[in-house]
C-alpha cells in the first residue's frame, strides 16, 4: 500500500478523468476497497484512490414517476431504514438490512454493494497466494479442485466458480431495475455479467450514479448464510412480482423460471445449495409484501 | 469498589500537562504534539512522522519529505476532531483512521483486530454512528466528530455504561471490549432502553473469541 | 501453626467480590490497558512475516532485493541471518518448512503496511517434498510417514506422536462375557477455531546487553528461557513482560517468536521492533486442526452395565491421552485404550481450549446413546446405570477424587432442563412451526482444571501500612488476580479490600513458573498463593510476638490468629494489633511471602500422588482429576435448511470450591457459547487439495455473532465440592465447561434421528442436510 495516492474528486467529470488515467478506483464507503488493499489480494489493485463522497447530489431516495430512484452514495443503512423503500420495494430494504454488519451498513453504499469484488475463499486469500483465473492469473480455478462449498452450482464463467456476493444484486435483477452510470443506463441483468474481477461489466472509468427500481410490485428477499451477521449469502432469493432471482449460486444473479431449480453443476461440497434455494423460493414467495 | 479514585478534581490533575486533552491520558509528549500542534512555548511544530524530525513550517516539512524520504508519497496534512479536541496531523494516504488514532494520537484504546472490517474491535463513533476505523481512510476524516473509548469517561469516573460492564464482570481478555462499548454507546444514545433483541442486533458487528456475549449483552440491555 | 479452615462459602461472597474486582478491569474499560501493540518508542520499527507457500520442503534461496529496494523497508531476515551468531538454530523463521504458511523470512520496515507490502517482493525458492496433510492419510497400515522430524515427540518409523496406551482388567474376556457388544466407527470431529481477536505480536528493544521483550502470551518465563538459550545471555538480562493479553487460548505466542524479535532487535542495534501478525499470519502459525476419530467397541451385561470398552483413537494433537471421560466418569471394569497423536504437515500449534476432551465426550456420547437405545433406555438412564458413584475410587489407582461432582452436575442439568419429560425417541417430534425438536445430554469428568496443572510461583508483599500486593508471572486478566486476592485475604486473615494486584506479567519480579493461564490456574496458582500467604503469615506472626501487645503476654506464634487485617490472641481476643501497627515497625522481610506449587506429574493415567509436606503444612491429596461437567441442550432443527436453533442450554460444572463467583459464571457462560460455536459454526481451515490454510478471515473462521447466539437461554449452575488435591478445595473450570459440544450433537441426533457427521468441522446446515439425505 506504499505509494498509494488518495485524491478527492470535485465532480463526477473529475472522478472519471482520474479513473481514465489507469490504476485508479473510486472509493465510496470504501469497505471492500480498504480490505482488498490491505490484504494484497490481487495484482490488479489500484494505486490511486478516487474519493467521490464529497460530490454532492449522489445520496438520495426519491420516488419519481413510478420509479424508486436512489443515489449511488446512499448508504445501506439509509436504504434499510427508509419507509419509502420499504413501501415501494420491500425486498430492497430487506436486502440492504442484512448486508454485513451495522457498522458496514453505516458507511457502505448501494453503489459499492453492486461494484464489489467476489468473496471466493481462494480469490480473497491474502497476499495473492492463489493467483486464479478471476484475477487473470495462471492458477486456474482452485475451488474446482479444492473446496467448492461456497461456490457456483451452475458452473463456471470465464473459468471462475465464484458467486455474486451482493445482497442487493438479485433484488435489482428481479425488479427489472436500471443502473445509471456516467456512460449509460444498464439493465440490471446485463450490469451483473462478469467482465473482469468485479461483479459487473463496468469499464474501468465508469461510475455508478443512480439505481432506478420500478415500484408497485410485492416483493421479498430471503438470505441464507451460516451466520446471521457479517456473512455473504450462501444462497439468497429475491422475489419481485412474478420474477424470482437467486443470489449466491452463480457468478451473477440467477433467474429462476418455475417454482424450483435444479443445480446443473453441483459438487459434493455445494449440492446443499439446491435444497436451500428451493426452500428460500418457497418461503420468499409466501412472504411478499 | 469506590467509584471515586481520587479526591482532587480532574482539572487540577491535568493542569500541568500543557495540552488540552480529551479522554486520553497524558502519554508521550511526542505523540500529543503531533504535527502542527503548539508545544509548551506556544510555537507550532511540524514533525515528520517517519523520523520525528521537527520543522517550523509546513513547507519545510514537505521539502524534507521530498529529500529524505524519496519515493514515499507526500502525506496529507489534516485536522481531526477526536473526543472533542482538534489535532493537526500528518497522515499518509494509506493509513486508516484506526492506525492514526493509535499511532499518531496515542489513543490505544481502539484495537486493531482483523484490520479488515470483520471483527469490530476497531469500532469508533463518527458523527455518532459506529463504524470500523480500520476501513476508513484517515485523510477523509476532516470535519467529522470522532469519538473513541477514551472519550467515554473523564478518565477517572467510569461512564454509566462502563459502570454496568464493571458491575456485570463483563470483560475477559478485554480485546473486543472497546468496540462493544462504542457500538453500545451509539445504541443507547439512540434508544435509551434497548431490548434484548435490539441489543443483539446492534452489537452483531462484533466478535469475541472468549465468547463472552452473555455478560456483555446483559450490560447493555435496558440501558443505563 | 493451624491450617486455616477453608470453608465453602464462595457462592455467598457476591458483594465482597464486586467490591474487590481487580483494577485491571477498569483499565480495560477505559482503554488504558496496555496490550503489546499499545506502545510507541522513538525509532520503533515494524516487522511482519514472509510465509511459505508449500506444505513441506526446504528453503533453497531467498532473494530479498526487491523488498529491500522498497522505500521504508529496513531489513529482511532469514533463517541463516538469525542463526548466525546465536547459540542455536533459529526456529523462526525456518529453513525446513514443515507446514504451509511457516515463517521463512521476517521483514522489517518503518511502517507496518510497508512491511506487509514487501511480503510479495521477497522471492523464495524451495526444494519441495511430499506433504502429508490429512489425518486420514496417516491412519492405518498403509498410512504414510512424513520425512523430517517434527519439533517434538514423533515415534520412530511412524507418523504417530505419543501413542498412549492404557489398560485395565481384561478387555477381550470382558467383551466375550458381555451380553451385547457393538463396534462404533465414530466420525472425525474437530475442536477449536484458531481465530483470536488480538493477533500474535511481540516487541523487543535493547539497552546495552539487556533486552526488554513484551509478549502477547501467558508464558513469559518460558519465553525468557528460550531467549537465553538462543541468544546465550544470562536470564537476569532478559526482561519479559505481559500485562494484557488477548484471548485465543493456550500460550498463544510461540517461544520462537520471542527469541526472534529479540534477535532481530539486537541485529538492528537494539532498536525497538514491533513484530505483528496479520489476521492471516496468525492463522497460518496457529491453524493446527485437531481432527479426532475413534473406533470404540462396547460390551454390556444384560442390564446395560458396561463390562468392557475397547478404544482406538486418533488425533492430530501431539498426544492422544486417555481422558477421564473414559476412566473417571463411568465405571468400566475392563478397558483398553490406544491413542495415537498423529504428526502431519500442519502448523505446530493451535489456539486451543480443551483439545482432547470435547471430541472424546462426543464419541462416548454417540456410543452410549446408541447403546442406550438397544436397552430401551433413554440416555440419562443409561448413564445413571454406569456413572461412578459418589464415593467410588479411581479405577486405576484406587484413590478418592471428586466423583460427587459429575453426579451432581448431571442431576442438576437433568432437573433444571426438564430433560426427562422432554426426551423422546430420536426423530419423532415435529413442532407446529415445522421444525424438529431434540434434546441431548452429556456428562464427563475432564482432564483439565486439576490442581496439578503446572508449576506456579507467587509472591505476596505486605507494605508498611499493612496493605497487600500480589505478584504473579502471568498476564493481567482480571478474574484471575481477583481470585488470587481473595485466596490471599482468606489465608492471611486480611480484609479482602486491602489486597491489590501488583505487577503481574513481569519476569523481573515474579517467581518462575509455567504458563499462567488456563484451566489449572485456580488450583495451581491458588496453591502457590496459598503457600505464599502462609509464608508471609508465619513471618508476620513471628515478628508480631516480639512487639506489643503480644510480647507482654509472652505469646507464641501458635497463640495468634488474624481476621479483617487484625492479629489477635485466640484465647484473649482483646489482645490485638492491626497489620498496619505491626508493619509500621517491622523489618521488610516480615511482609514478604513466597510460594511455589510444583506440578507432580502431567500424565492423567498415573497418579503419583500429590500428598506432600511443605514447610510443615500437609497439602494435597493423592488423587486428583480435573473438573466435572454436564450439560443438556434443547434444539429445533429446520429440516428444510438444516439450521439448528438452540432454544435452551443448561450447563453445570463442578468447581471444587468457588472462590470468585462472578469469574466462575463468566467462564461457564463463555464455555457454553464456545461450544455453540464449535458444534455449529466453526468453519473451514484447510484446502482439501493441498493442505494450504485457506480459511484465513473471520468470514471463514465463522465465530458466531450476537445474532447467532442468544445467551438468555444459557443457564448456568456451578456445583461445589471439595477437591481433596488442593489446599483450598478449589480447582479450575476453564476447560471443562466447554464439554457441551457433546450435548449439542446429541440434541441434533434426538431431533433428526441421525448423527450428523461433522466431517472434521462443525454441524453446519449443509452437514445436517447431508444427514437428512437432502444434500
Amino acid at each position: 500500500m506504499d505509494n498509494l495516492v488518495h485524491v478527492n474528486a470535485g465532480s463526477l467529470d473529475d472522478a472519471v478523468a482520474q479513473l481514465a488515467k489507469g490504476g485508479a478506483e473510486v472509493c465510496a464507503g470504501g469497505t471492500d476497497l480498504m480490505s482488498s488493499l490491505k490484504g494484497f489480494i490481487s495484482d490488479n489493485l489500484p494505486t490511486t484512490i478516487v474519493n467521490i463522497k464529497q460530490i454532492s447530489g449522489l445520496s438520495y431516495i426519491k420516488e419519481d414517476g413510478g420509479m424508486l430512484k436512489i443515489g449511488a452514495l446512499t448508504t445501506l443503512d439509509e436504504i434499510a431504514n427508509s419507509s419509502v423503500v420499504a413501501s415501494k420495494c420491500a425486498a430492497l430494504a430487506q436486502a440492504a438490512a442484512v448486508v454485513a454488519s451495522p457498522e458496514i451498513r453505516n458507511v457502505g453504499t448501494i453503489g459499492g454493494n453492486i461494484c464489489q469484488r467476489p468473496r471466493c475463499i481462494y480469490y480473497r486469500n491474502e497476499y495473492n497466494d492463489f493467483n486464479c483465473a478471476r484475477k487473470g492469473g495462471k492458477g486456474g480455478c482452485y475451488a474446482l479442485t479444492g473446496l467448492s462449498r461456497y461456490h457456483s452450482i451452475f458452473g463456471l464463467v470465464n473459468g471462475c466458480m465464484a458467486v455474486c456476493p451482493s445482497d442487493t444484486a438479485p433484488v435489482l435483477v428481479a425488479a427489472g431495475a436500471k443502473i445509471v452510470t456516467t456512460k449509460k443506463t444498464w439493465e440490471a441483468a446485463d450490469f451483473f455479467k462478469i467482465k473482469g474481477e468485479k461483479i459487473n461489466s463496468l469499464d474501468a472509468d465508469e461510475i455508478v450514479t443512480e439505481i432506478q427500481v420500478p415500484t408497485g410490485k410485492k416483493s421479498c428477499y430471503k438470505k441464507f448464510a451460516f451466520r446471521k451477521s457479517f456473512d455473504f449469502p450462501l444462497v439468497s432469493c429475491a422475489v419481485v412480482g412474478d420474477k424470482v432471482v437467486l443470489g449466491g449460486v452463480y457468478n451473477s444473479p440467477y433467474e429462476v423460471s418455475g417454482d424450483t431449480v435444479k443445480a446443473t453443476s453441483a459438487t459434493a461440497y455445494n449440492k446443499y445449495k439446491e435444497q436451500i434455494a428451493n426452500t428460500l423460493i418457497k418461503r420468499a414467495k409466501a412472504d411478499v409484501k | 469498589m469506590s467509584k471515586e479514585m481520587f479526591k482532587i478534581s480532574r482539572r487540577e490533575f491535568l493542569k500541568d500537562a500543557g495540552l488540552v486533552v480529551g479522554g486520553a491520558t497524558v502519554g508521550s509528549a511526542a505523540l500529543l504534539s503531533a504535527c502542527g500542534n503548539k508545544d509548551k512555548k506556544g510555537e507550532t511544530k511540524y514533525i515528520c512522522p517517519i523520523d520525528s524530525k521537527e520543522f517550523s513550517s509546513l513547507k519545510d516539512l514537505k521539502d524534507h519529505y521530498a529529500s529524505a524520504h524519496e519515493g514515499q508519497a507526500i502525506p496529507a496534512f489534516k485536522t481531526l476532531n477526536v473526543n472533542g479536541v482538534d489535532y493537526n496531523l500528518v497522515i499518509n494516504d494509506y493509513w486508516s483512521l484506526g492506525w492514526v488514532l493509535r499511532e499518531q494520537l496515542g489513543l490505544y484504546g481502539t484495537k486493531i483486530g482483523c484490520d479488515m472490517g470483520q471483527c469490530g474491535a476497531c469500532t469508533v463513533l463518527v458523527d455518532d454512528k459506529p463504524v470500523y476505523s480500520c476501513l476508513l481512510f484517515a485523510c477523509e476524516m476532516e470535519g467529522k466528530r470522532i469519538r473513541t473509548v477514551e472519550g467515554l469517561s473523564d478518565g477517572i469516573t467510569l461512564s454509566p455504561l462502563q459502570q454496568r460492564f464493571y458491575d456485570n464482570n463483563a470483560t475477559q481478555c478485554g480485546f473486543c471490549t472497546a468496540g462493544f462499548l462504542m457500538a453500545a454507546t451509539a445504541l443507547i444514545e439512540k434508544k435509551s432502553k434497548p431490548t434484548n433483541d435490539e441489543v443483539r442486533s446492534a452489537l452483531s458487528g462484533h466478535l469475541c473469541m472468549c465468547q463472552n456475549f452473555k455478560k456483555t449483552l446483559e450490560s447493555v440491555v435496558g440501558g443505563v | 501453626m493451624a491450617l486455616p479452615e477453608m470453608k465453602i462459602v464462595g457462592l455467598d461472597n457476591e458483594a465482597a467480590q464486586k467490591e474487590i474486582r481487580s483494577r485491571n478491569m477498569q483499565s480495560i474499560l477505559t482503554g488504558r490497558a496496555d496490550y503489546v501493540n499499545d506502545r510507541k518508542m522513538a525509532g520503533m520499527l515494524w516487522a511482519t512475516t514472509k510465509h511459505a507457500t508449500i506444505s513441506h520442503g526446504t528453503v533453497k534461496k531467498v532473494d530479498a532485493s526487491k523488498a529491500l529496494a522498497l522505500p521504508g523497508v529496513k531489513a529482511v531476515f532469514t533463517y541463516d541471518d538469525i542463526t548466525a551468531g546465536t547459540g542455536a538454530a533459529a526456529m523462526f523463521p525456518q529453513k525446513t518448512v514443515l507446514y504451509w504458511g511457516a515463517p521463512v523470512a521476517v521483514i522489517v520496515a518503518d511502517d507496518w503496511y510497508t512491511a506487509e507490502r514487501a511480503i510479495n517482493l521477497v522471492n523464495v525458492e524451495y526444494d519441495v517434498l511430499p506433504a502429508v496433510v490429512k489425518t486420514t492419510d496417516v491412519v492405518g497400515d498403509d498410512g504414510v510417514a512424513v520425512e523430517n522430524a517434527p519439533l517434538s515427540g514423533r515415534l520412530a518409523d511412524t507418523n504417530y506422536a505419543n501413542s498412549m496406551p492404557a489398560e485395565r482388567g481384561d478387555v477381550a474376556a470382558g467383551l466375550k462375557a458381555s451380553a451385547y457388544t457393538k463396534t462404533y466407527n465414530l466420525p472425525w470431529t474437530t475442536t477449536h477455531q484458531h481465530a483470536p481477536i488480538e493477533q500474535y505480536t511481540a516487541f523487543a528493544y535493547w539497552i546495552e546487553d539487556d533486552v526488554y521483550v513484551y509478549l502477547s502470551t501467558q508464558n513469559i518465563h518460558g519465553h525468557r528461557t528460550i531467549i537465553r538459550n538462543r541468544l546465550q545471555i544470562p536470564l537476569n538480562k532478559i526482561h519479559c513482560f505481559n500485562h494484557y493479553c488477548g484471548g485465543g487460548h493456550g500460550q498463544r505466542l510461540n517461544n520462537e517468536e520471542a527469541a526472534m524479535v529479540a534477535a532481530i532487535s539486537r541485529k538492528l542495534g537494539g532498536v525497538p521492533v514491533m513484530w505483528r501478525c496479520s489476521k492471516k499470519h496468525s492463522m497460518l502459525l496457529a491453524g493446527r486442526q485437531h481432527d479426532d476419530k475413534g473406533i470404540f467397541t462396547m460390551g454390556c451385561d444384560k442390564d446395560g452395565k458396561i463390562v468392557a470398552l475397547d478404544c482406538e483413537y486418533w488425533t492430530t494433537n501431539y498426544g492422544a491421552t486417555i481422558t477421564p471421560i473414559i476412566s473417571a466418569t463411568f465405571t468400566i471394569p475392563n478397558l483398553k485404550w490406544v491413542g495415537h497423536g498423529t504428526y502431519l504437515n500442519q502448523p505446530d500449534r493451535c489456539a486451543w481450549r480443551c483439545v482432547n476432551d470435547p471430541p472424546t465426550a462426543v464419541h462416548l456420547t454417540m456410543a452410549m446413546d446408541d447403546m442406550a437405545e438397544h436397552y430401551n433406555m433413554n440416555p440419562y438412564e443409561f448413564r445413571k446405570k454406569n456413572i461412578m458413584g459418589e464415593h467410588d475410587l479411581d479405577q486405576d489407582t484406587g484413590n478418592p477424587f471428586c466423583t460427587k461432582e459429575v453426579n451432581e452436575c448431571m442431576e442438576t442439568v437433568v432437573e433444571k432442563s426438564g430433560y426427562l419429560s422432554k426426551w423422546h425417541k430420536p426423530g419423532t417430534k415435529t413442532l407446529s412451526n415445522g421444525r424438529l425438536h431434540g434434546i441431548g445430554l452429556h456428562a464427563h469428568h475432564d482432564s483439565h482444571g486439576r490442581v496439578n496443572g503446572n508449576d506456579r510461583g507467587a509472591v505476596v508483599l505486605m507494605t508498611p501500612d499493612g496493605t497487600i500486593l500480589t505478584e504473579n508471572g502471568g498476564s493481567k486478566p482480571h478474574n484471575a488476580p481477583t481470585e488470587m486476592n481473595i485466596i490471599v485475604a482468606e489465608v492471611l486473615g486480611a480484609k479482602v479490600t486491602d489486597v491489590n494486584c501488583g505487577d503481574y506479567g513481569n519476569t523481573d519480579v515474579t517467581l518462575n513458573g509455567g504458563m499462567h493461564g488456563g484451566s489449572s490456574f485456580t488450583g495451581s496458582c491458588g496453591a502457590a498463593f496459598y503457600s505464599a500467604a502462609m509464608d508471609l503469615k508465619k513471618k508476620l506472626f513471628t515478628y508480631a510476638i516480639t512487639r506489643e501487645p503480644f510480647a507482654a503476654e509472652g505469646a507464641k506464634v501458635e497463640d495468634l490468629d488474624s481476621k479483617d487485617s487484625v492479629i489477635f490472641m485466640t484465647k484473649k481476643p482483646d489482645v490485638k494489633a492491626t497489620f498496619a501497627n505491626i508493619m509500621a515497625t517491622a523489618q521488610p522481610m516480615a511482609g514478604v511471602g513466597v510460594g511455589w506449587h510444583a506440578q507432580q506429574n502431567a500424565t492423567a493415567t498415573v497418579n503419583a500422588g500429590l500428598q506432600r509436606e511443605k514447610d510443615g503444612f500437609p497439602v494435597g491429596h493423592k488423587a486428583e482429576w480435573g473438573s466435572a461437567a454436564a450439560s443438556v441442550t434443547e434444539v429445533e432443527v429446520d429440516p428444510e435448511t438444516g439450521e439448528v436453533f438452540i432454544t435452551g442450554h443448561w450447563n453445570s460444572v463442578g468447581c471444587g470450591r468457588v472462590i470468585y463467583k462472578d469469574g466462575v459464571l463468566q467462564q461457564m457462560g463463555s464455555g457454553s457459547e464456545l461450544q455453540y460455536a464449535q458444534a455449529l459454526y466453526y468453519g473451514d481451515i484447510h484446502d482439501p487439495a493441498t493442505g494450504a490454510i485457506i480459511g484465513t478471515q473471520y468470514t471463514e473462521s465463522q465465530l458466531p455473532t450476537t445474532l447467532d447466539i442468544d445467551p438468555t437461554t444459557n443457564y448456568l449452575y456451578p456445583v461445589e465440592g471439595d477437591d481433596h488435591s488442593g489446599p483450598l478445595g478449589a480447582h479450575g473450570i476453564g476447560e471443562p465447561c466447554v464439554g457441551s459440544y457433546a450435548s449439542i450433537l446429541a440434541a441434533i441426533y434426538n431431533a433428526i434421528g441421525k448423527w450428523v457427521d461433522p466431517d472434521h468441522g462443525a454441524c453446519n446446515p449443509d452437514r445436517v442436510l447431508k444427514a437428512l439425505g437432502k444434500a
Side-chain angles (χ1 to χ4, degrees), chain A residues 1 122 125-127 129 149-150 227-228 275 282, chain C residues 51 116-117 278 280 640 684 687 696 703 708 766:
Chain A
M1 285 179 71
Y122 296 95
N125 203 276
E126 295 94 317
Y127 314 115
D129 284 339
R149 197 176 181 195
Y150 312 109
R227 296 186 301 172
K228 304 239 176 304
Q275 163 70 25
K282 197 171 50 174
Chain C
H51 58 279
E116 286 273 293
R117 185 158 179 274
S278 61
K280 170 162 169 164
E640 313 249 279
D684 302 287
D687 175 22
T696 55
L703 273 66
D708 301 303
D766 57 339

CSV table of all heavy atoms in Angstrom, one decimal, chain A residues 1 122 125-127 129 149-150 227-228 275 282, chain C residues 51 116-117 278 280 640 684 687 696 703 708 766:
chain,number,residue,atom,x,y,z
A,1,MET,N,0.8,-1.2,0.0
A,1,MET,CA,0.0,0.0,0.0
A,1,MET,C,0.9,1.3,0.0
A,1,MET,O,0.3,2.3,0.1
A,1,MET,CB,-0.9,0.0,1.2
A,1,MET,CG,-2.0,-1.0,1.1
A,1,MET,SD,-3.1,-1.0,2.5
A,1,MET,CE,-3.9,0.6,2.4
A,122,TYR,N,-10.5,-18.6,-2.1
A,122,TYR,CA,-9.2,-18.6,-2.8
A,122,TYR,C,-8.9,-17.3,-3.3
A,122,TYR,O,-7.8,-16.7,-3.1
A,122,TYR,CB,-9.1,-19.7,-3.9
A,122,TYR,CG,-9.3,-21.1,-3.4
A,122,TYR,CD1,-10.5,-21.7,-3.4
A,122,TYR,CD2,-8.2,-21.8,-2.9
A,122,TYR,CE1,-10.7,-23.0,-2.9
A,122,TYR,CE2,-8.3,-23.1,-2.4
A,122,TYR,CZ,-9.6,-23.7,-2.4
A,122,TYR,OH,-9.8,-25.0,-2.0
A,125,ASN,N,-7.9,-14.9,-0.6
A,125,ASN,CA,-6.8,-15.2,0.3
A,125,ASN,C,-5.7,-14.2,0.2
A,125,ASN,O,-5.2,-13.9,-0.9
A,125,ASN,CB,-6.3,-16.6,-0.1
A,125,ASN,CG,-5.6,-17.3,1.1
A,125,ASN,OD1,-4.4,-17.0,1.3
A,125,ASN,ND2,-6.3,-18.0,1.9
A,126,GLU,N,-5.3,-13.7,1.3
A,126,GLU,CA,-4.4,-12.5,1.3
A,126,GLU,C,-3.0,-12.9,0.8
A,126,GLU,O,-2.6,-14.0,0.8
A,126,GLU,CB,-4.2,-12.0,2.8
A,126,GLU,CG,-5.5,-11.4,3.4
A,126,GLU,CD,-6.3,-12.5,4.2
A,126,GLU,OE1,-6.4,-13.6,3.8
A,126,GLU,OE2,-6.7,-12.1,5.3
A,127,TYR,N,-2.4,-11.8,0.3
A,127,TYR,CA,-1.1,-11.9,-0.3
A,127,TYR,C,-1.1,-12.6,-1.7
A,127,TYR,O,-0.1,-13.0,-2.2
A,127,TYR,CB,0.0,-12.5,0.6
A,127,TYR,CG,-0.1,-11.9,2.0
A,127,TYR,CD1,-0.4,-12.7,3.1
A,127,TYR,CD2,0.2,-10.6,2.3
A,127,TYR,CE1,-0.5,-12.2,4.4
A,127,TYR,CE2,0.1,-10.1,3.5
A,127,TYR,CZ,-0.2,-10.9,4.6
A,127,TYR,OH,-0.3,-10.4,5.9
A,129,ASP,N,-1.9,-15.5,-2.7
A,129,ASP,CA,-1.2,-16.8,-2.7
A,129,ASP,C,-1.9,-17.8,-3.7
A,129,ASP,O,-1.4,-18.8,-4.1
A,129,ASP,CB,-1.2,-17.5,-1.4
A,129,ASP,CG,-0.1,-16.9,-0.5
A,129,ASP,OD1,0.8,-16.3,-1.0
A,129,ASP,OD2,-0.3,-17.0,0.8
A,149,ARG,N,-17.4,-25.4,-1.5
A,149,ARG,CA,-18.6,-25.3,-0.6
A,149,ARG,C,-19.4,-24.1,-0.8
A,149,ARG,O,-20.6,-24.1,-0.5
A,149,ARG,CB,-18.1,-25.4,0.8
A,149,ARG,CG,-19.1,-25.8,1.9
A,149,ARG,CD,-18.4,-25.9,3.2
A,149,ARG,NE,-19.3,-26.3,4.3
A,149,ARG,CZ,-19.0,-26.2,5.6
A,149,ARG,NH1,-17.9,-25.7,6.0
A,149,ARG,NH2,-19.9,-26.6,6.5
A,150,TYR,N,-18.7,-23.0,-1.1
A,150,TYR,CA,-19.4,-21.7,-1.2
A,150,TYR,C,-19.7,-21.3,-2.6
A,150,TYR,O,-20.1,-20.1,-2.8
A,150,TYR,CB,-18.6,-20.7,-0.4
A,150,TYR,CG,-18.2,-21.1,0.9
A,150,TYR,CD1,-16.8,-21.4,1.2
A,150,TYR,CD2,-19.1,-21.4,1.9
A,150,TYR,CE1,-16.4,-21.9,2.4
A,150,TYR,CE2,-18.7,-21.8,3.2
A,150,TYR,CZ,-17.3,-22.1,3.4
A,150,TYR,OH,-16.9,-22.6,4.6
A,227,ARG,N,-24.0,-17.7,9.3
A,227,ARG,CA,-24.1,-16.8,10.4
A,227,ARG,C,-25.1,-15.7,10.0
A,227,ARG,O,-25.3,-15.4,8.9
A,227,ARG,CB,-22.8,-16.1,10.8
A,227,ARG,CG,-21.7,-17.0,11.3
A,227,ARG,CD,-20.5,-16.3,11.7
A,227,ARG,NE,-19.9,-15.5,10.6
A,227,ARG,CZ,-18.9,-14.6,10.8
A,227,ARG,NH1,-18.4,-14.4,12.0
A,227,ARG,NH2,-18.4,-13.9,9.8
A,228,LYS,N,-25.8,-15.1,11.0
A,228,LYS,CA,-26.8,-14.1,10.8
A,228,LYS,C,-26.2,-12.7,10.7
A,228,LYS,O,-27.0,-11.7,10.6
A,228,LYS,CB,-27.9,-14.2,11.8
A,228,LYS,CG,-28.5,-15.6,12.0
A,228,LYS,CD,-30.0,-15.6,11.7
A,228,LYS,CE,-30.6,-17.0,11.8
A,228,LYS,NZ,-29.9,-17.9,10.9
A,275,GLN,N,-31.1,-27.5,-2.3
A,275,GLN,CA,-32.2,-27.7,-1.3
A,275,GLN,C,-32.5,-26.3,-0.7
A,275,GLN,O,-33.7,-26.0,-0.5
A,275,GLN,CB,-31.7,-28.7,-0.2
A,275,GLN,CG,-32.5,-28.7,1.1
A,275,GLN,CD,-33.9,-29.2,0.9
A,275,GLN,OE1,-34.2,-30.0,0.0
A,275,GLN,NE2,-34.8,-28.7,1.8
A,282,LYS,N,-39.7,-21.0,-2.0
A,282,LYS,CA,-41.0,-21.2,-1.4
A,282,LYS,C,-41.3,-20.2,-0.3
A,282,LYS,O,-42.4,-19.6,-0.3
A,282,LYS,CB,-41.0,-22.6,-0.8
A,282,LYS,CG,-42.3,-23.2,-0.5
A,282,LYS,CD,-42.2,-24.7,-0.1
A,282,LYS,CE,-41.2,-25.0,0.9
A,282,LYS,NZ,-41.2,-26.4,1.4
C,51,HIS,N,5.7,-15.8,4.6
C,51,HIS,CA,5.2,-17.2,4.9
C,51,HIS,C,5.5,-18.1,3.7
C,51,HIS,O,5.5,-17.7,2.5
C,51,HIS,CB,3.7,-17.2,5.2
C,51,HIS,CG,2.9,-16.6,4.1
C,51,HIS,ND1,2.7,-15.3,3.9
C,51,HIS,CD2,2.2,-17.3,3.2
C,51,HIS,CE1,1.9,-15.1,2.9
C,51,HIS,NE2,1.6,-16.3,2.4
C,116,GLU,N,4.3,-5.2,5.2
C,116,GLU,CA,3.3,-6.1,4.6
C,116,GLU,C,3.4,-6.0,3.1
C,116,GLU,O,3.3,-7.0,2.4
C,116,GLU,CB,1.9,-5.7,5.0
C,116,GLU,CG,1.6,-6.0,6.4
C,116,GLU,CD,1.0,-7.4,6.5
C,116,GLU,OE1,-0.1,-7.7,6.0
C,116,GLU,OE2,1.7,-8.3,7.1
C,117,ARG,N,3.6,-4.8,2.5
C,117,ARG,CA,3.7,-4.7,1.1
C,117,ARG,C,4.9,-5.4,0.5
C,117,ARG,O,4.9,-5.8,-0.6
C,117,ARG,CB,3.7,-3.2,0.7
C,117,ARG,CG,3.6,-3.0,-0.8
C,117,ARG,CD,3.1,-1.6,-1.1
C,117,ARG,NE,3.1,-1.4,-2.5
C,117,ARG,CZ,4.2,-0.9,-3.2
C,117,ARG,NH1,5.3,-0.6,-2.6
C,117,ARG,NH2,4.1,-0.8,-4.5
C,278,SER,N,-0.6,-10.3,10.7
C,278,SER,CA,-1.9,-10.0,10.1
C,278,SER,C,-2.9,-11.1,10.6
C,278,SER,O,-2.4,-12.1,11.1
C,278,SER,CB,-1.8,-10.0,8.6
C,278,SER,OG,-1.4,-11.3,8.1
C,280,LYS,N,-4.3,-13.2,8.7
C,280,LYS,CA,-3.9,-14.4,8.0
C,280,LYS,C,-2.6,-15.1,8.7
C,280,LYS,O,-2.6,-16.3,8.9
C,280,LYS,CB,-3.6,-14.1,6.6
C,280,LYS,CG,-2.9,-15.3,5.8
C,280,LYS,CD,-3.0,-15.2,4.3
C,280,LYS,CE,-2.1,-16.2,3.6
C,280,LYS,NZ,-2.5,-16.4,2.2
C,640,GLU,N,-35.8,-28.2,6.4
C,640,GLU,CA,-35.6,-27.7,5.0
C,640,GLU,C,-34.3,-27.0,4.7
C,640,GLU,O,-33.9,-26.9,3.6
C,640,GLU,CB,-36.8,-26.7,4.7
C,640,GLU,CG,-38.1,-27.2,5.2
C,640,GLU,CD,-39.0,-27.5,4.0
C,640,GLU,OE1,-39.6,-26.5,3.4
C,640,GLU,OE2,-39.1,-28.7,3.6
C,684,ASP,N,-14.1,-23.7,7.8
C,684,ASP,CA,-13.0,-24.4,7.2
C,684,ASP,C,-11.7,-23.7,7.4
C,684,ASP,O,-11.6,-22.5,7.5
C,684,ASP,CB,-13.3,-24.4,5.7
C,684,ASP,CG,-14.6,-25.0,5.3
C,684,ASP,OD1,-14.7,-26.2,5.4
C,684,ASP,OD2,-15.5,-24.2,5.0
C,687,ASP,N,-7.3,-26.3,2.7
C,687,ASP,CA,-7.7,-26.6,1.4
C,687,ASP,C,-7.5,-28.2,1.2
C,687,ASP,O,-6.4,-28.7,1.5
C,687,ASP,CB,-6.7,-26.0,0.4
C,687,ASP,CG,-6.9,-26.4,-1.0
C,687,ASP,OD1,-8.0,-26.9,-1.4
C,687,ASP,OD2,-5.9,-26.3,-1.8
C,696,THR,N,-8.6,-17.9,6.2
C,696,THR,CA,-7.8,-17.0,7.0
C,696,THR,C,-8.5,-15.8,7.5
C,696,THR,O,-7.9,-14.9,8.1
C,696,THR,CB,-6.6,-16.6,6.1
C,696,THR,OG1,-7.1,-16.0,4.9
C,696,THR,CG2,-5.7,-17.7,5.8
C,703,LEU,N,-16.7,-17.3,13.6
C,703,LEU,CA,-17.1,-17.1,15.0
C,703,LEU,C,-18.5,-16.5,15.0
C,703,LEU,O,-18.8,-15.6,14.3
C,703,LEU,CB,-16.1,-16.1,15.7
C,703,LEU,CG,-14.8,-16.6,16.3
C,703,LEU,CD1,-13.9,-17.2,15.2
C,703,LEU,CD2,-14.1,-15.6,17.1
C,708,ASP,N,-26.4,-14.8,16.4
C,708,ASP,CA,-26.4,-16.3,16.3
C,708,ASP,C,-26.6,-17.0,17.6
C,708,ASP,O,-27.1,-18.1,17.7
C,708,ASP,CB,-25.1,-16.8,15.6
C,708,ASP,CG,-24.9,-16.2,14.3
C,708,ASP,OD1,-25.8,-16.4,13.4
C,708,ASP,OD2,-23.8,-15.5,14.0
C,766,ASP,N,-25.3,-27.5,6.0
C,766,ASP,CA,-25.1,-28.4,4.9
C,766,ASP,C,-24.8,-29.8,5.4
C,766,ASP,O,-25.3,-30.8,4.7
C,766,ASP,CB,-24.0,-27.9,3.9
C,766,ASP,CG,-22.7,-27.7,4.6
C,766,ASP,OD1,-22.6,-27.5,5.9
C,766,ASP,OD2,-21.6,-27.6,3.9
